[in-house]
Amino acid sequence: MRHQKRGRKLGTDASHTKAMRRSLTTALLKNDRIKTTETRAKEIRADVDRVITWAKRGDVHSRRLALAALGDKEVVSKIFSEVERFEGRNGGYTRILKLGPRKGDAAPMAIIELLD
């Protein structure tokens, strides 16, 4: 049973969903913009905002939390070094642009990007 489990299943089991969210979050923070389905984009918004908030705090504990969440040292160091671009914003660091249906299976697609 899924009692008290937050978030969407995204059509997979729990471990696959967790790995997919982690890789999408890492890809977004590395590239500043990715194309994915609307549902996946909405699901990783909270993860990205959480990591950027840790970067704004900037202490050692926040860096370790971000490294545990992402698992990529280069992405963590990039986000912590570019934190000044998010200083004037109190949350809402991403934008989702809807693109329309995908050709193969008509899944609604979207671009999620980091704001400046």
Side-chain angles (χ1 to χ4, degrees):
M1 287 184 251
R2 294 191 70 240
H3 295 179
Q4 307 250 334
K5 304 291 185 199
R6 66 174 182 84
R8 298 170 177 90
K9 285 183 71 171
L10 301 176
T12 60
D13 58 344
S15 61
H16 188 186
T17 301
K18 182 179 175 184
M20 185 173 11
R21 288 176 58 173
R22 183 178 189 176
S23 67
L24 285 171
T25 303
T26 304
L28 178 61
L29 292 173
K30 184 185 291 185
N31 302 315
D32 291 344
R33 172 187 279 203
I34 59 172
K35 180 179 173 183
T36 183
T37 63
E38 280 183 32
T39 308
R40 290 177 183 175
K42 289 177 183 179
E43 192 63 24
I44 66 169
R45 262 189 314 201
D47 300 334
V48 172
D49 285 355
R50 190 174 304 118
V51 171
I52 292 173
T53 303
W54 288 332
K56 286 174 74 172
R57 281 194 352 216
D59 55 350
V60 175
H61 181 62
S62 300
R63 186 176 290 267
R64 288 177 178 162
L65 287 172
L67 186 58
L70 298 177
D72 191 349
K73 288 182 182 179
E74 290 82 22
V75 174
V76 171
S77 64
K78 177 187 177 214
I79 290 299
F80 274 72
S81 65
E82 293 180 353
V83 72
E84 63 273 356
R85 85 187 243 201
F86 302 110
E87 286 298 330
R89 190 177 294 272
N90 295 325
Y93 306 111
T94 57
R95 173 188 300 138
I96 296 177
L97 303 169
K98 297 180 181 181
L99 296 177
R102 182 163 51 194
K103 186 170 176 111
D105 59 354
M109 298 299 288
I111 290 176
I112 182 168
E113 61 185 4
L114 294 176
L115 299 175
D116 290 332

